[in-house]
Amino acid sequence: MPAAAHIDTFSLFGETGELSDLLHIETIEARSALHDWSLTPHRHDRLHQILILTEGGGTANIDGTNHPLAPPCLLNLPRGVVHGFQFESDTNGWVLTVTSDLLDHCLRHNDQLRTALEMPGIAPLQPGLQQMIECIAHEHDQHAPFRAPVLTGLVGASAGMVVRAISAQQHKGSGPRGHRLFFRFQELVEQAFRCRKGVAEYAAELAVSPTHLNRVCHQETGKSASHLINERMLREARRLLIYTTLSAAEVAYELGFSDPAHFSRVFAKATGQPPRRFRQKMTAGG
């Protein structure tokens, strides 16, 4: 997979203009057939996508890892996740693209659900979700009275069904426990992970002690706050090393390190290999 100087960021694949509607929905064939059923790795800054596949299949590349697609199945793709596809030419299904603003509005009273949707996932497709997505497609195209509230309700219900399916697939019951402080911490980390801020700085912004923030993070994930901060930075580092031609030093500066050697040590400690070796292994298909 050839690397580029940067990771392509699109609105819809191949498009850079802002989404002009509440959401966009189209069949998988509508866009994939135009690109020989192959969509190169890219990401969406402010868009969340839900895909359902009813027939066909293929492979999804999510953050550098290939996953087979065996319909009927669904994919949850949060904003910022790098993804690409190689579909079989007879693949049928839908791609629902929702602005982060709309999704936040739909889930404004359910931090638990919003947090669960921040992780990409693949799961078997439940019939109810397919019917829901098809209802969204119908409402989207009809432009009937009260279209906006109807679509908003359908998106919220679809999001709940996606989390339910992925949670069942992971044998974790109904999903992760919700905690408003943890959700706010995740939002701050997403905004500032390139700034190399420490736990004490995040805790101060949240008006809690570092000890309390760590306690909440352990309750939610089993990991410390510093581990989660570092994990988010490493996820971006892996994306940049796999999908761009930025040097290891340039990746370090992009992620807020003043010393590339320090970045290399941090990366090697977490992954077991320095950035250059990681890139060589990944780009060689290993």
Side-chain angles (χ1 to χ4, degrees):
M1 185 181 304
H6 64 281
I7 300 172
D8 286 329
T9 300
F10 294 128
S11 175
L12 304 175
F13 183 81
E15 301 180 17
T16 56
E18 292 289 329
L19 207 62
S20 60
D21 201 349
L22 288 169
L23 56 85
H24 181 84
I25 188 165
E26 64 184 10
T27 63
I28 289 175
E29 180 182 11
R31 193 166 302 262
S32 300
L34 299 175
H35 299 276
D36 197 25
W37 297 91
S38 180
L39 305 184
T40 55
H42 60 284
R43 60 179 163 188
H44 312 285
D45 277 345
R46 295 182 298 279
L47 300 175
H48 190 111
Q49 289 190 318
I50 296 170
L51 284 75
I52 65 168
L53 278 71
T54 56
E55 295 179 299
T59 302
N61 184 287
I62 301 175
D63 277 340
T65 301
N66 288 326
H67 302 270
L69 299 175
C73 65
L74 68 88
L75 288 81
N76 179 55
L77 293 171
R79 56 188 171 187
V81 171
V82 180
H83 57 281
F85 298 102
Q86 182 62 60
F87 292 115
E88 296 174 6
S89 58
D90 60 347
T91 299
N92 288 323
W94 296 93
V95 182
L96 171 64
T97 303
V98 181
T99 64
S100 296
D101 291 341
L102 174 59
L103 198 58
D104 288 342
H105 175 72
C106 292
L107 308 179
R108 63 193 182 279
H109 300 306
N110 198 324
D111 292 340
Q112 174 182 339
L113 187 54
R114 190 71 184 89
T115 299
L117 281 172
E118 287 298 322
M119 291 299 293
I122 301 174
L125 175 63
Q126 299 176 340
L129 179 60
Q130 180 177 345
Q131 295 168 2
M132 196 76 67
I133 296 295
E134 289 173 351
C135 283
I136 291 174
H138 176 76
E139 287 291 336
H140 180 265
D141 293 342
Q142 290 302 306
H143 292 273
F146 309 108
R147 176 178 181 265
V150 171
L151 286 174
T152 299
L154 289 170
V155 166
S158 297
M161 296 186 76
V162 167
V163 170
R164 181 186 293 170
I166 291 175
S167 298
Q169 177 74 359
Q170 297 172 342
H171 305 288
K172 293 182 180 177
S174 61
R177 289 173 294 152
H179 194 294
R180 183 172 296 277
L181 176 64
F182 179 69
F183 177 66
R184 289 166 57 204
F185 171 64
Q186 281 190 309
E187 286 188 317
L188 290 178
V189 171
E190 188 64 33
Q191 294 166 10
F193 69 87
R194 293 180 177 85
C195 300
R196 306 294 297 149
K197 292 166 63 172
V199 175
E201 292 174 277
Y202 284 109
E205 289 188 60
L206 294 165
V208 298
S209 70
T211 300
H212 183 62
L213 179 57
N214 268 311
R215 185 183 301 117
V216 169
C217 289
H218 272 292
Q219 288 173 349
E220 294 297 315
T221 68
K223 301 173 183 178
S224 68
S226 61
H227 184 97
L228 295 174
I229 295 166
N230 203 48
E231 195 174 65
R232 180 61 185 92
M233 178 277 296
L234 289 167
R235 188 160 79 245
E236 192 70 15
R238 288 191 290 267
R239 289 172 179 171
L240 294 172
L241 289 167
I242 295 170
Y243 296 112
T244 80
T245 55
L246 295 175
S247 68
E250 289 171 325
V251 170
Y253 295 133
E254 174 74 16
L255 296 175
F257 287 84
S258 58
D259 179 8
H262 180 209
F263 165 69
S264 184
R265 290 192 297 271
V266 171
F267 188 90
K269 182 178 180 180
T271 65
Q273 52 195 333
R276 290 183 182 85
R277 190 174 302 165
F278 171 82
R279 168 175 274 166
Q280 290 169 355
K281 180 179 179 182
M282 294 303 296
T283 55

